[in-house]
Amino acid sequence: ISCNRLIGCVIAFIYYLLIVLPHEQVGLAVVYLFKTKSRLFYQNTMMISGVLLLVILVAYLIPKIIGHPYRKRILTGMAITLGLMMASFKLLLVHNVEIIHFAQYFSLCLFIYPLVRNLNRTFIISTLAGFFDELYQYLILAPQRTDYFDFNDIFLNELGAALGVLFLFAIGFSTINRPKWYHASEFFVFAAIFLTLVIMYSIGEFSYLMPNDGTSPVFVLIKKEYPGFFTVISHLDVRFHVLKPLPGSLLIACTAIFYTLLFGSQRKKAD
C-alpha cells in the first residue's frame, strides 16, 4: 500500500465503506444467525468471542513487547486500553455484538498507517473516521430511530483505533513522517467540522437539545433525554450508560491526548 499512495487510498476507502455502509445488513444477519437462541446465549457468545480474540492478540504481542525499546509505554497503553474495553462491556454496550467496533477500527489502522507512516496520525485519522461513521448513521441511515448522537460508539471506535496503533507500535512500526501540524489533512478536517457546526448553529440548524418551538434542526445532539446514570430497556433486560455530549466529548478528547502523547514517545529516550 505504501508503494502506491493512490492505490492505498482506494483500498483504505473501500474498506472504510465496508465498515460504514452495511450496518443494517450486518444487524439483520446477526439476528438471523441467533434467531433460535436466547438473548443470554447471544450476549455470552459475543463476549466470549471478543475476549478470546483479545487473549490471542495479547499472547501474540507479549514476546514482541518484552524486547521492545518502548515496552513500558506499550504495556501501559495496552493495560489502559484493555481496561477501558472491559469497562465498556459493563457501561456502554447495549448489545455485545458492538465489540465489532473494536475490530473494525483496529483493522482500519492497518490500512491507514502505510499511507501516513505516522502512529499519531493513524490514530487521529481512524478516530475521525469513526466520528463520520456515527454521523452517517445518525443523520442519514436511521435519523428516525435514534434519540441522540452516539458518543458511546465514537469512544468504542477510538479504543479500536488505539489498539490498532498499539499493535503497529509493538510489532516494530514507528513514526517516520512528521509533517507540521498545519500541513496535516486532519487539521483541516477538524477546522471544517468546527466551522460547519458554528455556521449551522448560527442559522438554527444545530442544537444541543430538541427545541420546544416546533422547529427541527438538521443536527440535534439529544432528541430525547433519558434521566439517571443508566438507561434501562426492560424487555431486553439490559442497562447501559449514555455518554452525553459534554462528558462524551471530554472523555474522547482526554483519551486522544493520552494516546497521542503515548505514540509520540519515540522522540524520548527508550525505556
Side-chain angles (χ1 to χ4, degrees):
I1 291 176
S2 58
C3 295
N4 190 311
R5 190 177 180 85
L6 177 60
I7 292 175
C9 287
V10 171
I11 292 173
F13 185 64
I14 289 173
Y15 177 74
Y16 180 60
L17 292 180
L18 290 175
I19 292 175
V20 173
L21 297 181
H23 280 293
E24 292 198 335
Q25 290 78 6
V26 171
L28 290 172
V30 170
V31 169
Y32 177 79
L33 184 63
F34 289 93
K35 65 179 182 180
T36 60
K37 307 296 183 182
S38 68
R39 175 176 171 77
L40 181 62
F41 176 87
Y42 156 73
Q43 289 284 78
N44 287 341
T45 299
M46 292 295 105
M47 182 178 68
I48 292 169
S49 300
V51 171
L52 182 61
L53 288 173
L54 285 175
V55 169
I56 292 171
L57 178 66
V58 171
Y60 171 76
L61 289 179
I62 284 176
K64 300 181 182 300
I65 295 173
I66 290 174
H68 200 285
Y70 297 100
R71 56 188 171 275
K72 290 182 181 177
R73 293 174 188 132
I74 295 173
L75 286 171
T76 298
M78 290 291 293
I80 290 175
T81 303
L82 295 176
L84 290 172
M85 287 180 168
M86 293 300 104
S88 297
F89 271 99
K90 290 293 185 181
L91 295 173
L92 302 181
L93 271 62
V94 182
H95 309 287
N96 284 348
V97 73
E98 291 180 88
I99 59 173
I100 197 172
H101 289 272
F102 301 146
Q104 289 172 329
Y105 286 87
F106 173 98
S107 303
L108 183 61
C109 289
L110 308 185
F111 292 95
I112 298 297
Y113 176 82
L115 302 176
V116 297
R117 293 187 296 175
N118 182 299
L119 296 176
N120 268 335
R121 293 192 67 202
T122 298
F123 169 70
I124 292 169
I125 291 170
S126 298
T127 301
L128 270 174
F131 165 79
F132 284 110
D133 182 359
E134 301 311 317
L135 191 66
Y136 163 75
Q137 292 180 62
Y138 187 61
L139 297 181
I140 298 173
L141 182 62
Q144 305 304 320
R145 302 199 304 269
T146 48
D147 295 330
Y148 51 86
F149 185 55
D150 203 337
F151 285 89
N152 287 31
D153 283 0
I154 296 175
F155 182 63
L156 300 180
N157 297 341
E158 182 180 37
L159 291 180
L163 186 64
V165 178
L166 280 166
F167 172 79
L168 291 167
F169 197 4
I171 64 175
F173 289 96
S174 60
T175 292
I176 299 172
N177 292 336
R178 297 184 187 275
K180 298 292 186 181
W181 61 268
Y182 49 82
H183 289 160
S185 57
E186 55 270 25
F187 166 73
F188 294 99
V189 174
F190 277 116
I193 292 171
F194 177 75
L195 289 174
T196 300
L197 292 177
V198 168
I199 292 170
M200 290 180 67
Y201 180 78
S202 66
I203 62 175
E205 294 298 341
F206 172 61
S207 176
Y208 183 87
L209 295 171
M210 183 64 76
N212 294 321
D213 58 6
T215 59
S216 297
V218 172
F219 190 11
V220 181
L221 290 174
I222 300 177
K223 298 176 185 175
K224 179 183 177 182
E225 280 200 282
Y226 293 89
F229 184 81
F230 284 108
T231 296
V232 178
I233 304 178
S234 300
H235 70 280
L236 295 178
D237 191 27
V238 64
R239 68 174 191 168
F240 58 97
H241 176 63
V242 175
L243 285 172
K244 300 292 178 63
L246 181 56
S249 298
L250 288 174
L251 176 63
I252 291 164
C254 290
T255 304
I257 291 170
F258 167 76
Y259 285 113
T260 52
L261 291 173
L262 187 75
F263 299 142
S265 63
Q266 296 165 87
R267 295 184 177 182
K268 303 175 184 177
K269 185 178 178 181
D271 297 333

